[in-house]
Amino acid sequence: MFLAVTFGSKQLTFHTVWSAIFDYNPKLTQQQIIHELRLPRVIGAAVIGAAFAVAGALMQGITRNPLADAGILGINGGAMLVVALCFAFFPSIPYSLLMVFSFIGALLSTLMIFMIGSASPGGLTPIRLTISGAVVAAFLHSISSGVAIYYDLSQDLAFWYAGGLAGIKWSYLKVLVPIILITITWGMLLGRSVSLISLGDDIAANLGVKTNRVRILGITAAVILAGVSVSAVGSIGFVGLVIPHISRKLVGGNYQLIIPMSALLGAILLILADLGARMVDPPRELAIGMMTALVGVPFFLYIARKTGRDL
């Protein structure tokens, strides 16, 4: 985080960063850059990266689907559609209300995915969940694009579609940080039950886990984390896919450890992705979604290939 605050289109010294954090002087331009632009951006990257990663970990554990991710399963698509509709009909909507609507959109898209996946004979399987999520995501993104074109919102929504942290402000963080930290703690408390569900419903039920209740609580936590994050930075994919797999390699299959490790690694990944987006071609910035996709797409193909062999 300290390096991410220091480096960017305008290089700053470590001493300047230290002074801006611990002895802020609003009269100094460099300290204003740090305090008003860099600090909220880096803190936002940390908490939102943690949110996307924990959402992915919960989805993978609860559905026993190694390809589960808020973006791949279409949860982000529902939040994005609602953001587009809010921009079209309520352009001056306050951020706190936009976050609520974004969560509702994520929840509705999640319900749609599970209903479609469960409709076929044999019930919901990991592959059906992935396919139904991909279909719903494509459907919702196409509607969002249509809304943006019809209401001339292409420029306003470009930031949300590509994903970026440039718009993060202290006022956003005052709402975001408590919600995300409380929901991640909620997910950690579900860790033991999610670990048992990941082994199979029969095993979990025999050990006293109320599987349906845990699934509802876990999916709700994942939807909250994905929905509020999309409302702030747009649809940044693959963080929730890649990080839980790395966490499992480091700490094993216990979700009491996977969830906090995913939060830590997700924060690091998004901070580094944002730093890379700012450093590749300064003063221009690349879309942060592009940076995460460079890591996530090859990883997704590897997991899909491995999963296909296992099936």
Side-chain angles (χ1 to χ4, degrees):
M1 289 177 72
F2 196 80
L3 290 172
V5 172
T6 304
F7 294 101
S9 57
K10 183 176 179 61
Q11 302 293 342
L12 303 168
T13 64
F14 290 115
H15 179 265
T16 303
V17 175
W18 185 270
S19 299
I21 295 173
F22 297 104
D23 187 23
Y24 177 53
N25 184 353
K27 296 180 181 179
L28 299 177
T29 303
Q30 287 189 329
Q31 292 199 16
Q32 284 182 347
I33 292 172
I34 294 167
H35 195 267
E36 298 301 324
L37 298 177
R38 296 270 178 93
L39 268 179
R41 181 173 186 152
V42 171
I43 293 171
V47 295
I48 290 168
F52 278 128
V54 171
L58 288 169
M59 293 295 291
Q60 288 176 19
I62 288 170
T63 64
R64 300 195 299 278
N65 182 0
L67 299 175
D69 168 68
I72 294 169
L73 293 185
I75 297 173
N76 290 356
M80 287 293 298
L81 174 59
V82 171
V83 169
L85 292 173
C86 287
F87 276 26
F89 297 106
F90 312 104
S92 58
I93 186 173
Y95 175 66
S96 56
L97 199 55
L98 179 67
M99 186 182 296
V100 172
F101 282 121
S102 181
F103 163 71
I104 293 171
L107 179 61
L108 292 176
S109 63
T110 304
L111 292 174
M112 187 187 303
I113 291 160
F114 276 83
M115 287 173 61
I116 293 172
S118 303
S120 2
L124 191 66
T125 64
I127 294 301
R128 283 177 184 154
L129 181 65
T130 304
I131 293 171
S132 61
V135 170
V136 170
F139 173 68
L140 294 175
H141 279 295
S142 64
I143 295 178
S144 300
S145 300
V147 171
I149 293 169
Y150 185 81
Y151 289 97
D152 196 21
L153 300 172
S154 300
Q155 190 67 31
D156 296 331
L157 284 178
F159 168 79
W160 267 267
Y161 283 125
L165 290 149
I168 292 288
K169 302 174 183 177
W170 287 115
S171 58
Y172 291 8
L173 293 178
K174 288 178 182 178
V175 181
L176 267 175
V177 172
I179 293 174
I180 288 175
L181 293 182
I182 290 170
T183 310
I184 288 176
T185 304
W186 170 4
M188 290 169 62
L189 294 174
L190 294 172
R192 178 181 175 276
S193 298
V194 175
S195 297
L196 295 174
I197 287 177
S198 68
L199 300 174
D201 284 0
D202 293 338
I203 295 174
N206 289 335
L207 292 173
V209 175
K210 297 179 180 178
T211 55
N212 289 333
R213 179 185 174 189
V214 172
R215 275 203 172 86
I216 291 170
L217 291 173
I219 290 171
T220 302
V223 169
I224 291 172
L225 291 171
V228 299
S229 298
V230 168
S231 71
V233 300
S235 184
I236 298 176
F238 299 108
V239 177
L241 171 69
V242 174
I243 293 300
H245 286 280
I246 297 173
S247 299
R248 273 190 288 273
K249 290 290 185 184
L250 293 175
V251 300
N254 184 357
Y255 276 81
Q256 290 176 300
L257 300 176
I258 290 172
I259 290 173
M261 179 59 74
S262 295
L264 175 62
L265 296 181
I268 292 171
L269 174 62
L270 207 59
I271 290 170
L272 291 177
D274 180 54
L275 178 60
R278 289 187 278 126
M279 293 293 290
V280 169
D281 186 25
R284 294 187 180 91
E285 292 184 17
L286 296 179
I288 194 171
M290 181 189 300
M291 304 301 290
T292 57
L294 289 175
V295 177
V297 170
F299 197 89
F300 175 80
L301 294 175
Y302 165 74
I303 296 297
R305 184 181 176 89
K306 184 178 177 183
T307 304
R309 285 201 300 265
D310 292 342
L311 291 173

